[in-house]
Amino acid sequence: MILLFDFLSILSTNILIFSLLWSFFYFKGKISWVDFCWSSSIGIWSLVHAYEAKNTLQSESLFALSMIVFFWSFRLSTHLFFRTLLSKGEDRRYEEIKRKTPTKAWSKKTLFIFLMNAALVSILLVPQRILAYADSPSITLWQAFASALCLLAIAGESLADSQLKKHLLLKSNTTCQKGLWKYSRHPNYFFEWLFWVAVYLFTIKAPYSQWALSAPVLMFIFLNYFTGIKISEKNAELRRKDFAEYKKKTSAFFLFFPKKNSSIRHNFD
């Protein structure tokens, strides 16, 4: 009951914050900033949790997880900040949403996007809130393993972003198929999801840890069926002639060896 009240308090706060952010960026005319807002807000909340754990000597595990999530947030939000700042228009995902939305409904649609991200942030904070009520004075060997997996996921996502950025600088209008992109059409999304799997594993021995499973489950749904793969691949199919062949032979999400016979589709699609 206390955890539910705690979650509703954080959700209410995030709804207020993201409503204010929406009003600012809507009139600025660039909704793409919502990506930076959700990733950076998790980092800010994580610093609050780290301070709470350190100041009260409450939990070493809460402090460790909060700092890991802050490090993830700093890397991702920095990447998204410069990507959004340097882009001339909206991200292609939001351009696609705008194209399908009547002009009169665009303000409501964008407000919904921001509020959905407020809910996403609140759910991704659940693992940290679980540890805030757990009796875990020191880091366990299992949590050390989960921490290493978190760092591996951050490194993998960073490498995927770097490889894609280098390819885009070539301005060849072709699909990136080198490095991690040879084994997945969206390795950055895969490692993003893997990070939240590791966060869940970090909390697995704490009371009510089953609620922390909501973080990787929700992230998987968002990345695969909402603003991730579904929309980005529609744009890629229109812009890149080699994408159809790439799609046939390459796993959509999980890292896997490409099919030599491109006529056979991956089971991961």
Side-chain angles (χ1 to χ4, degrees):
M1 192 67 180
I2 295 176
L3 190 61
L4 176 60
F5 179 78
D6 190 85
F7 170 76
L8 292 176
S9 298
I10 291 177
L11 177 61
S12 300
T13 303
N14 282 327
I15 286 175
L16 175 61
I17 292 171
F18 274 75
S19 296
L20 294 173
L21 289 170
W22 166 79
S23 64
F24 178 78
F25 288 113
Y26 176 76
F27 290 105
K28 280 285 186 178
K30 201 167 186 178
I31 298 302
S32 300
W33 281 107
V34 69
D35 292 335
F36 167 75
C37 291
W38 81 262
S39 60
S40 59
S41 63
I42 292 177
I44 295 171
W45 276 106
S46 296
L47 284 179
V48 172
H49 292 152
Y51 176 79
E52 175 187 338
K54 197 70 174 177
N55 191 49
T56 61
L57 300 177
Q58 181 183 24
S59 170
E60 285 187 11
S61 59
L62 173 59
F63 178 79
L65 181 61
S66 298
M67 293 309 298
I68 289 171
V69 176
F70 171 76
F71 179 63
W72 162 87
S73 170
F74 181 80
R75 190 213 71 85
L76 180 59
S77 57
T78 301
H79 169 74
L80 293 172
F81 176 81
F82 287 107
R83 189 183 74 177
T84 307
L85 182 67
L86 297 176
S87 64
K88 295 180 180 180
E90 294 280 16
D91 184 279
R92 292 189 179 93
R93 293 169 298 149
Y94 299 115
E95 284 182 352
E96 176 69 12
I97 295 173
K98 188 174 184 179
R99 186 180 63 82
K100 294 182 177 180
T101 305
T103 304
K104 292 182 179 180
W106 180 236
S107 60
K108 293 181 180 179
K109 186 73 171 183
T110 53
L111 176 59
F112 176 75
I113 291 172
F114 271 81
L115 294 181
M116 283 292 290
N117 278 273
L120 175 63
V121 169
S122 302
I123 292 173
L124 294 180
L125 290 171
V126 167
Q128 293 182 55
R129 298 313 302 163
I130 286 174
L131 290 182
Y133 294 100
D135 183 17
S136 50
S138 58
I139 302 295
T140 66
L141 185 62
W142 176 259
Q143 289 173 332
F145 164 75
S147 299
L149 188 58
C150 281
L151 296 177
L152 174 65
I154 293 172
E157 186 176 5
S158 180
L159 178 60
D161 286 339
S162 176
Q163 290 171 343
L164 179 60
K165 184 178 179 180
K166 288 180 180 179
H167 178 80
L168 293 176
L169 288 174
L170 299 175
K171 297 182 180 180
S172 61
N173 200 31
T174 59
T175 304
C176 180
Q177 301 185 42
K178 295 182 179 180
L180 294 171
W181 298 85
K182 179 180 179 181
Y183 304 101
S184 171
R185 303 202 299 270
H186 302 276
N188 51 342
Y189 290 164
F190 167 75
F191 283 109
E192 176 68 32
W193 169 77
L194 182 63
F195 175 82
W196 293 105
V197 171
V199 168
Y200 162 68
L201 292 177
F202 193 100
T203 69
I204 200 169
K205 294 185 179 182
Y208 309 108
S209 63
Q210 64 271 21
W211 295 109
L213 187 59
S214 59
V217 169
L218 186 66
M219 185 58 69
F220 183 86
I221 292 172
F222 259 78
L223 292 175
N224 281 273
Y225 303 107
F226 285 96
T227 61
I229 292 175
K230 189 175 181 181
I231 295 178
S232 63
E233 292 206 343
K234 282 185 179 180
N235 290 311
E237 287 172 350
L238 294 173
R239 292 181 291 108
R240 302 190 184 105
K241 294 181 179 180
D242 63 342
F243 186 79
E245 184 67 20
Y246 174 65
K247 186 176 181 179
K248 290 178 182 179
K249 67 181 181 181
T250 311
S251 169
F253 186 75
F254 296 99
L255 296 177
F256 199 76
F257 293 103
K259 290 288 185 180
K260 292 182 179 180
N261 185 355
S262 59
S263 63
I264 301 176
R265 296 294 297 275
H266 261 287
N267 292 330
F268 293 107
D269 288 352

